[in-house]
Amino acid sequence: MGRKRTIEPDAVLDAAEQVVMRDGAARLTLDAVACAAGISKASVLYDYKNKQALIRAVVERRLAAHRACERDAADELGNVADAAIRARISVASHSLTDEDRAVALGLLASLAQEAELREPIARAYRERLAEVEETSRHPRAALLAFLALEGLMSLEWLGLHTWAPDERARLISEIGWLVDQNPEPARLPERSTT
């Protein structure tokens, strides 16, 4: 009979995030994660067969935590119109933590190089976009609000720009205003054939 497992998977993922924040995902090794968790490399290999599997688990856990925040925000909003996009706006109204930014930046190089690691993120975006469009009174307006939020948050995640708190709150409020709009379909200019 094998010995009872004493390390929790979350402890391994916590250690992996520490290594990613310190060294970046490109330098993440199973040995470094084992050392940070205070366990053997074999214990890490028990759950995560390789570095990519471990990084994917970190990404999936971060996505699940973000999704849980959105669900909590939707529950707080109650039965309101446009709940999915309004929940997303509510979550975005909170500034990023330094830890969130550090993990995102640490993972970025691996995500850029590995299509397989981007797949859970792409799936999460497909699901969120579908939910926002399906549950909104004005799907086009909700899509525009979603894209505006993603632009704002991407600049912050990448550390490219930081808004003053008052300006950030105003931007989030104005993105919320977009949700109530009913944009007319844009007429694209006709192309000249001559």
Side-chain angles (χ1 to χ4, degrees), residues 28-35 41 44-45 48-51 54:
L28 179 137
T29 65
L30 299 180
D31 287 318
V33 171
C35 182
K41 181 179 177 179
V44 176
L45 284 167
Y48 310 102
K49 305 304 180 214
N50 55 43
K51 174 181 170 175
L54 181 58

Side-chain angles (χ1 to χ4, degrees), residues 50-114:
N50 55 43
K51 174 181 170 175
Q52 285 73 21
L54 181 58
I55 292 172
R56 184 179 177 116
V58 168
V59 168
E60 289 176 342
R61 182 172 78 156
R62 284 282 170 157
L63 288 170
H66 190 72
R67 190 66 174 140
C69 287
E70 286 180 351
R71 286 190 181 114
D72 289 346
D75 289 347
E76 282 182 32
L77 290 169
N79 189 14
V80 298
D82 309 306
I85 188 63
R86 293 203 184 280
R88 190 142 179 90
I89 291 168
S90 175
V91 170
S93 70
H94 304 288
S95 295
L96 289 173
T97 67
D98 291 337
E99 179 182 308
D100 287 337
R101 183 176 291 112
V103 171
L105 287 173
L107 290 171
L108 195 58
S110 289
L111 294 172
Q113 295 174 1
E114 303 272 344

Side-chain angles (χ1 to χ4, degrees), residues 176-192:
W177 171 83
L178 282 172
V179 175
D180 293 322
Q181 304 312 301
N182 190 10
E184 294 290 324
R187 282 198 167 146
L188 299 176
E190 292 185 27
R191 299 179 103 183
S192 173

Side-chain angles (χ1 to χ4, degrees), residues 158-174:
L158 296 172
L160 299 174
H161 189 75
T162 304
W163 284 269
D166 289 348
E167 177 62 12
R168 189 179 192 283
R170 181 178 177 185
L171 288 168
I172 295 291
S173 177
E174 290 167 347

Side-chain angles (χ1 to χ4, degrees), residues 128-189:
R128 286 180 180 134
L129 282 165
E131 180 184 25
V132 163
E133 289 190 271
E134 290 168 6
T135 62
S136 296
R137 291 172 298 145
H138 306 294
R140 195 71 179 170
L143 176 60
L144 292 172
F146 183 93
L147 294 172
L149 279 177
E150 290 304 312
L152 181 142
M153 291 171 33
S154 292
L155 291 173
E156 292 177 337
W157 282 101
L158 296 172
L160 299 174
H161 189 75
T162 304
W163 284 269
D166 289 348
E167 177 62 12
R168 189 179 192 283
R170 181 178 177 185
L171 288 168
I172 295 291
S173 177
E174 290 167 347
I175 291 170
W177 171 83
L178 282 172
V179 175
D180 293 322
Q181 304 312 301
N182 190 10
E184 294 290 324
R187 282 198 167 146
L188 299 176

